[in-house]
Amino acid sequence: MSPLLKIRAERDQMSAIERRIADFILDNAHLLRDYSSQQLADALQISQSSVVKFSQKLGFKGYPDLKYGIGESIAHHRAQESTAPRTAADPFAASAEALWRRKQEAESETRLINPPAQIRAVAAALTAATQVFVTGLGEDAPQAQALALRLALLDIRASCPGDAFVVSAALSGAARNDVLLVLCEHGRQPALAQLGRELRARGGKLVSVTRHSANPLRSQADLALLVSAHDERAHVEPLLYRAALQHLLDVLYLELCETRRDALARLQANAERLRRLLES
């Protein structure tokens, strides 16, 4: 596991000072080589010993080893992006190959921070629910709709009302074991947080799917799934996030298919029914 991924994975279990160090490193990883432990401590207005202890807690001998490991990780990513051959026949081949590798890395990191027990817990909550409400705003909406359809094909009573006001109205009939599954990249949509509070007040469960960062939606969720997708380029990072998010949802879907009784038979029957509907 790369040092940066290790920091992201363990951030939520860190103390307040450790989180400050972690956030600074994650936001300034490419500049870290210019910082000594004392300079980093001064920038954060903490003691140098706090920086050293932070490094050792992550399994490094000290801050220099942590800094070296982060530098090696960044250099490895950049080397991979620069080694893909460019051909005269297809000048975009290298860019496409580099993007594919970065998507694979994002999917791998996302898999590491979502242990199988957490995937199974979410699948169990969906299976036990009388109703599942799936929602997402903006770019999260299409994947929320697709997930709701897949759940419905498995005979899980799922819907994707879409608009937050419609979801709120639908939740008025929610039962104690119902689930609201919210896709929200940054977890900071006040309307979605309010929907979560409404369902939890009725005894239901909130499942959040957000970036692997501290955010209000994740903090109030009963179960949280996390997406790790990071890139310095603003136009690339959203592409990595969508790919990693889709892979995470696909893994959840596979868990449901392979553990629910008669799931595949139900899926086949429902898919056939939809096929006849489309062809009529």
Side-chain angles (χ1 to χ4, degrees), residues 128-266:
T130 303
Q131 294 186 87
V132 176
F133 305 92
V134 186
T135 189
L137 303 180
E139 291 189 14
D140 291 308
Q143 282 167 305
Q145 293 169 355
L147 177 61
L149 175 60
R150 290 196 184 97
L151 295 179
L153 290 173
L154 293 175
D155 278 353
I156 294 174
R157 190 178 176 187
S159 62
C160 185
D163 185 273
F165 293 101
V166 179
V167 179
S168 182
L171 291 181
S172 64
R176 186 168 184 80
N177 63 337
D178 287 348
V179 170
L180 174 63
L181 196 159
V182 179
L183 278 61
C184 184
E185 180 174 355
H186 298 288
R188 300 185 182 279
Q189 284 281 357
L192 297 179
Q194 176 59 34
L195 292 174
R197 287 191 289 271
E198 290 179 16
L199 183 68
R200 296 188 76 201
R202 294 177 175 274
K205 288 187 176 180
L206 172 63
V207 177
S208 68
V209 185
T210 70
R211 276 190 174 275
H212 187 249
S213 60
N215 62 75
L217 191 63
R218 176 186 176 185
S219 65
Q220 78 176 70
D222 298 286
L223 295 165
L225 296 178
L226 307 169
V227 179
S228 177
H230 305 274
D231 197 280
E232 297 174 6
R233 297 161 294 177
H235 64 293
V236 172
E237 190 170 66
L239 306 180
L240 305 184
Y241 177 82
R242 296 297 150 201
L245 171 61
Q246 187 58 63
H247 184 72
L248 176 60
L249 297 179
D250 289 346
V251 170
L252 174 61
Y253 175 67
L254 282 178
E255 175 69 17
L256 289 165
C257 288
E258 295 173 0
T259 58
R260 295 186 78 241
R261 184 177 180 181
D262 300 328
L264 297 181
R266 296 177 185 181

Side-chain angles (χ1 to χ4, degrees), residues 99-115:
L99 177 60
W100 176 249
R101 286 198 300 269
R102 294 293 289 125
K103 285 183 177 180
Q104 288 179 311
E105 290 168 4
E107 292 167 0
S108 178
E109 291 180 2
T110 296
R111 189 167 60 252
L112 286 172
I113 60 176
N114 292 280

